[in-house]
Amino acid sequence: MRRKYNEIPCSTNDIKEMLSCGINELPPEANNILENHINLEELHQAVMAGKARKAPGCDGISSEFFQGTWDVIKHDMHDILNTMYFEDTLTDTQKRGVIVCIPKTPHPTTLNEYRPLTLLNTDYKLLARLISNRLRPWLNHILRGSHYCGRQGYTIFDAVATVRDVIAHANTTQSSLCIVTTDFQEAFDNISHSYLYATLQAHGFSKDFQARIKRMYDNARSTVQINGFTSPLSRS
């Protein structure tokens, strides 16, 4: 789960206008499945999917710890993650991030030459991965055919192939064609949370699931770490 930095305000009217373009609703059975308890097998898959040699969050616990001690901690983790998933038990510390600035060039001199990365606690990322895994099978039901990102069986290469085929068809049929490309800078970092929540509601996700996503972001704060020094917590 990525952490946003500068959320741009979005009015209620703007949100309604965006969502009036047509939204596919989630199949009714999806909400029932999303409300199932996390089973041990899906938790094991989520734990083992954690990448090695990744810097941990402020608690200092890495993915390798959960993977290496799985046989010892699996039942405790099973109880903990179900509690995190169903109850309002996520602490502010669990949601706390540490922003580190990675140089993009060998000798950076401006802010734009650094890439900010937010280091998050592994249990927080594990919960986000479990939610993502549960959502993924339903994305084809709610996303349009023109969406490629995040959908099973699709990659950016499918989008490129579609554009190529459309251009070839236009050349063959001598048809007029207009292709528009838009690249929003730091799009996810700036999108309104209110719009995200309204989109979940429009797609038909249950109130419990919407609340679950909100808990992941509510009062999620970060500090900036530079040269061994850590800033005060950001405002919520």
Side-chain angles (χ1 to χ4, degrees):
M1 176 172 289
R2 292 181 59 188
R3 183 64 59 78
K4 292 153 41 102
Y5 301 110
N6 300 303
E7 178 184 351
I8 294 178
C10 189
S11 72
T12 302
N13 289 335
D14 290 337
I15 293 173
K16 288 182 178 179
E17 184 175 354
M18 288 293 295
L19 297 179
S20 66
C21 299
I23 293 290
N24 296 326
E25 290 195 13
L26 194 70
E29 64 272 18
N31 276 317
N32 294 330
I33 294 175
L34 290 173
E35 291 306 312
N36 287 340
H37 274 73
I38 299 168
N39 61 57
L40 203 57
E41 178 57 30
E42 69 175 317
L43 175 58
H44 182 247
Q45 292 178 357
V47 168
M48 294 306 167
K51 295 181 179 179
R53 302 177 66 84
K54 290 289 185 178
C58 60
D59 64 3
I61 301 176
S62 64
S63 294
E64 288 93 335
F65 170 80
F66 291 99
Q67 294 166 355
T69 60
W70 171 253
D71 289 334
V72 177
I73 67 171
K74 59 184 178 182
H75 295 298
D76 289 330
M77 287 302 301
H78 184 232
D79 292 339
I80 291 171
L81 265 296
N82 270 297
T83 301
M84 291 169 63
Y85 188 72
F86 286 103
E87 301 177 20
D88 189 9
T89 58
L90 273 173
T91 67
D92 292 344
T93 302
Q94 284 177 294
K95 292 183 282 187
R96 186 175 301 169
V98 179
I99 301 173
V100 295
C101 299
I102 308 300
K104 297 179 182 179
T105 62
H107 304 288
T109 57
T110 65
L111 289 176
N112 290 334
E113 292 177 299
Y114 288 90
R115 178 180 294 107
L117 296 178
T118 305
L119 307 181
L120 300 173
N121 291 326
T122 302
D123 56 352
Y124 181 81
K125 293 193 292 185
L126 185 56
L127 179 60
R129 190 177 303 128
L130 285 163
I131 294 175
S132 176
N133 290 343
R134 287 192 165 195
L135 282 177
R136 192 169 292 113
W138 304 105
L139 293 183
N140 287 340
H141 294 271
I142 61 177
L143 297 181
R144 298 182 180 276
S146 56
H147 290 102
Y148 295 95
C149 180
R151 295 177 63 193
Q152 287 182 315
Y154 292 86
T155 69
I156 187 62
F157 298 109
D158 295 289
V160 174
T162 299
V163 173
R164 180 196 60 197
D165 292 343
V166 169
I167 293 175
H169 176 76
N171 288 334
T172 301
T173 60
Q174 297 298 304
S175 303
S176 299
L177 177 66
C178 178
I179 297 178
V180 178
T181 62
T182 305
D183 184 11
F184 295 103
Q185 185 176 8
E186 299 179 347
F188 185 83
D189 295 335
N190 294 288
I191 196 169
S192 166
H193 277 167
S194 299
Y195 174 70
L196 290 177
Y197 302 149
T199 301
L200 288 175
Q201 182 177 357
H203 279 304
F205 286 93
S206 70
K207 291 182 179 180
D208 287 338
F209 187 83
Q210 294 175 48
R212 190 171 295 130
I213 298 301
K214 289 179 181 178
R215 287 198 297 268
M216 297 287 289
Y217 285 108
D218 284 348
N219 204 35
R221 305 167 69 187
S222 298
T223 60
V224 180
Q225 182 175 290
I226 299 177
N227 295 332
F229 295 93
T230 302
S231 73
L233 281 171
S234 61
R235 295 180 179 179
S236 58

